[in-house]
Amino acid sequence: MNSKTVDKGNYKLHTYKTDKFKTIDLHVNYSFEALEDLYVVSALKVLLNYTSEKYRNKIDKFIKCEELYDEDLFLSIDRDGRMVTFGLNASFINPKLVNDDFSEEAITFPFEVFNNPVFDDKDLDFVKRSMKKSYAGINENPAYIADMNSKKNFFDDPTAASFFYVEDEIIDTLTMEQLKEKYEYIINNSNINVFLLGDIEDKYIDYIDNNIIHKSINKDIDYIYVNKPIDKPVEIEETKKDLKQAQIVLMYDIDKFDLEEYQKMVLYSRCLGFGMDSRLFSIVREKYQLCYNVDSSTNRFCSFVRIDTSVDNANIKKTMDAIQESIDDMDNITEDMFENKKKQIYKSYDNVYDSLNNIYDEMFNVNVLGLLSCDEKRELVKQIKLDEVKSMKDKYKIHTIYVLKGE
């Protein structure tokens, strides 16, 4: 990959130079260890999106974006295992295309928002209303409820079961002092990584240097959660009024794999429940016609394999049996199916270079999370044998069975 990393002392700069795309993309990431109050991080994002010292309301920000040829500026929060990343993200058109060197303003703009917060109590009501609206929206989604509640049981560590969105009763307790303290925590306890991608010039880096006012702590974070073994799975059944289809989520513990071994689990999960030729799709949907869609996924950082689907309330038991039949049938995976799954994976690797956003994700995964590059994974996948993937069946165990059904 045409990328370069430089340790600037108070932050690490990762660049990718290409004239293939029309925009310059900037990502400034503050990454820190997760605590149990992730909802305060979410509230802080709402506040900074709403107001700052120079841009007191959204209209002021929108006007500035328009002046900068419709620059796209947004704040983000993401989680990878035990690490949370608060990001400033900006994308602006390559100044060469408009014959107007506005690059310094475009790069300074996101820093003006983040570096100069305003913690005024009069803005707290807006933050609370926005958070309640967001929670109400996602809480209407039965799949989200099932996902959230299954994870609350799955993780032994309460920090792992902490979420960005919480109930109104908790939101009502928020104070502006909490948001201010969380901001101070982030700027004083984060690893800072800056990503600059596109047809970039050396002076762009000078502009970033002039605006980075916080110092990275360069702390190693242990991302991976490993749950305690249990004698038998925990079964949870809950009800939701007027729910037409039951939500089923099965959470399985997986071992603490190294990066190479984990690729076998990725292949296993794809054969089990990714695409129309997977075991789950072929048996649960096609053979028994119990659902429209059924998937499996795996997460190394959170140490799980997850199977989820939506079915009629009357078919919950049948679906559980069909899922187990699908897992048992993993012993019968053919070489043709196995090679097809490899081809699907290779295709996803090829897509990395199709957009600056994909390239950024790849750079973040490699340079911040310490994951293998797509090229490294491709070489590993080529060497994996079918019998090695089949043996992964013994590397995970059922931990949580969660069902959300209608009353």
Side-chain angles (χ1 to χ4, degrees):
M1 178 176 279
N2 184 28
S3 61
K4 182 179 179 181
T5 296
V6 178
D7 191 336
K8 304 285 287 184
N10 61 327
Y11 72 99
K12 288 183 180 178
L13 175 68
H14 313 274
T15 58
Y16 185 91
K17 185 171 177 59
T18 176
D19 59 3
K20 181 180 177 181
F21 306 99
K22 293 182 179 180
T23 63
I24 309 293
D25 284 10
L26 172 67
H27 302 269
V28 185
N29 293 334
Y30 290 75
S31 299
F32 51 94
E33 201 152 8
L35 299 175
E36 292 182 42
D37 59 349
L38 290 187
Y39 67 95
V40 184
V41 179
S42 182
L44 178 63
K45 187 193 78 168
V46 173
L47 178 68
L48 294 181
N49 262 324
Y50 176 62
T51 185
S52 61
E53 189 173 293
K54 189 168 183 178
Y55 307 100
R56 288 295 287 138
N57 54 58
K58 286 190 173 183
I59 294 178
D60 292 339
K61 285 174 59 181
F62 290 153
I63 292 174
K64 184 64 176 179
C65 287
E66 288 295 324
E67 291 174 350
L68 298 173
Y69 295 91
D70 199 22
E71 178 170 352
D72 183 20
L73 170 65
F74 64 97
L75 307 183
S76 61
I77 45 176
D78 295 288
R79 179 172 186 160
D80 298 281
R82 298 179 189 274
M83 188 187 78
V84 174
T85 297
F86 196 108
L88 322 178
N89 309 278
S91 180
F92 56 92
I93 194 167
N94 185 348
K96 296 176 183 177
L97 299 178
V98 293
N99 296 316
D100 181 6
D101 188 4
F102 65 101
S103 56
E104 184 171 9
E105 274 192 281
I107 290 173
T108 300
F109 180 37
F111 290 100
E112 289 177 333
V113 172
F114 184 77
N115 291 345
N116 303 286
V118 173
F119 299 101
D120 192 326
D121 282 332
K122 72 179 180 63
D123 297 319
L124 187 59
D125 186 55
F126 172 83
V127 172
K128 291 181 177 181
R129 290 199 314 272
S130 297
M131 292 189 67
K132 288 180 179 180
K133 183 177 180 180
S134 296
Y135 182 75
I138 60 177
N139 206 42
E140 287 298 313
N141 184 347
Y144 173 83
I145 298 171
D147 179 60
M148 180 177 65
N149 290 346
S150 61
K151 286 178 179 176
K152 283 181 179 179
N153 177 78
F154 179 78
F155 290 110
D156 294 315
D157 188 332
T159 303
S162 178
F163 298 92
F164 291 120
Y165 302 100
V166 293
E167 298 83 355
D168 291 358
E169 293 77 10
I170 299 177
I171 295 173
D172 283 334
T173 67
L174 273 171
T175 66
M176 192 57 75
E177 187 62 27
Q178 283 179 285
L179 273 63
K180 184 177 180 180
E181 290 176 357
K182 183 58 64 177
Y183 177 81
E184 295 292 335
Y185 174 83
I186 290 173
I187 64 175
N188 291 311
N189 294 276
S190 293
N191 295 333
I192 305 174
N193 289 273
V194 178
F195 295 82
L196 185 63
L197 304 88
D199 190 11
I200 57 180
E201 300 181 19
D202 289 342
K203 62 183 179 181
Y204 296 175
I205 298 172
D206 294 333
Y207 302 152
I208 293 171
D209 281 338
N210 294 336
N211 285 281
I212 288 279
I213 63 175
H214 308 116
K215 184 175 177 60
S216 175
I217 63 167
N218 295 317
K219 176 184 178 182
D220 290 332
I221 298 175
D222 179 12
Y223 301 107
I224 298 175
Y225 290 97
V226 178
N227 283 312
K228 299 174 183 176
I230 56 175
D231 294 331
K232 69 178 197 176
V234 177
E235 298 185 35
I236 302 172
E237 186 174 288
E238 295 183 336
T239 59
K240 180 176 172 60
K241 188 176 181 181
D242 298 329
L243 190 64
K244 294 181 179 180
Q245 281 202 316
Q247 305 292 315
I248 297 176
V249 178
L250 306 179
M251 304 283 289
Y252 300 80
D253 263 337
I254 61 174
D255 295 336
K256 187 177 181 180
F257 297 119
D258 61 27
L259 291 171
E260 291 77 12
E261 186 78 358
Y262 180 65
Q263 293 308 308
K264 299 174 186 176
M265 181 57 79
V266 171
L267 259 173
Y268 177 93
S269 179
R270 279 180 168 258
C271 292
L272 176 61
F274 185 91
M276 293 185 291
D277 57 347
S278 68
R279 295 299 84 194
L280 284 168
F281 193 95
S282 298
I283 293 175
V284 182
R285 170 176 163 149
E286 297 299 298
K287 181 178 179 180
Y288 295 112
Q289 300 182 352
L290 292 167
C291 64
Y292 178 77
N293 196 39
V294 57
D295 296 298
S296 72
S297 59
T298 183
N299 188 302
R300 177 175 179 264
F301 291 147
C302 294
S303 308
F304 65 67
V305 171
R306 180 180 185 272
I307 297 174
D308 64 281
T309 188
S310 302
V311 301
D312 289 341
N313 289 317
N315 292 330
I316 293 173
K317 177 64 168 61
K318 291 179 182 178
T319 303
M320 295 289 196
D321 292 340
I323 289 173
Q324 187 57 53
E325 181 180 337
S326 303
I327 294 173
D328 294 338
D329 199 51
M330 288 292 287
D331 292 331
N332 300 319
I333 300 173
T334 65
E335 282 285 352
D336 285 345
M337 175 188 176
F338 181 61
E339 291 302 320
N340 185 51
K341 290 301 177 185
K342 283 189 174 184
K343 290 177 182 178
Q344 291 176 7
I345 290 178
Y346 300 151
K347 186 175 182 179
S348 70
Y349 296 159
D350 293 337
N351 293 337
V352 165
Y353 303 99
D354 288 348
S355 72
L356 286 181
N357 194 56
N358 288 351
I359 296 170
Y360 161 67
D361 286 341
E362 169 78 348
M363 293 176 67
F364 182 87
N365 289 340
V366 173
N367 295 315
V368 178
L369 299 182
L371 299 179
L372 300 174
S373 69
C374 284
D375 291 338
E376 291 171 321
K377 287 187 287 188
R378 186 193 302 271
E379 292 306 311
L380 282 175
V381 170
K382 286 179 181 178
Q383 301 170 31
I384 296 174
K385 307 300 182 185
L386 177 57
D387 287 344
E388 293 178 301
V389 170
K390 288 183 178 181
S391 70
M392 300 308 286
K393 181 180 175 182
D394 301 322
K395 299 289 187 178
Y396 67 97
K397 54 189 176 296
I398 185 66
H399 182 289
T400 298
I401 300 171
Y402 179 86
V403 177
L404 177 67
K405 65 179 185 179
E407 291 181 344

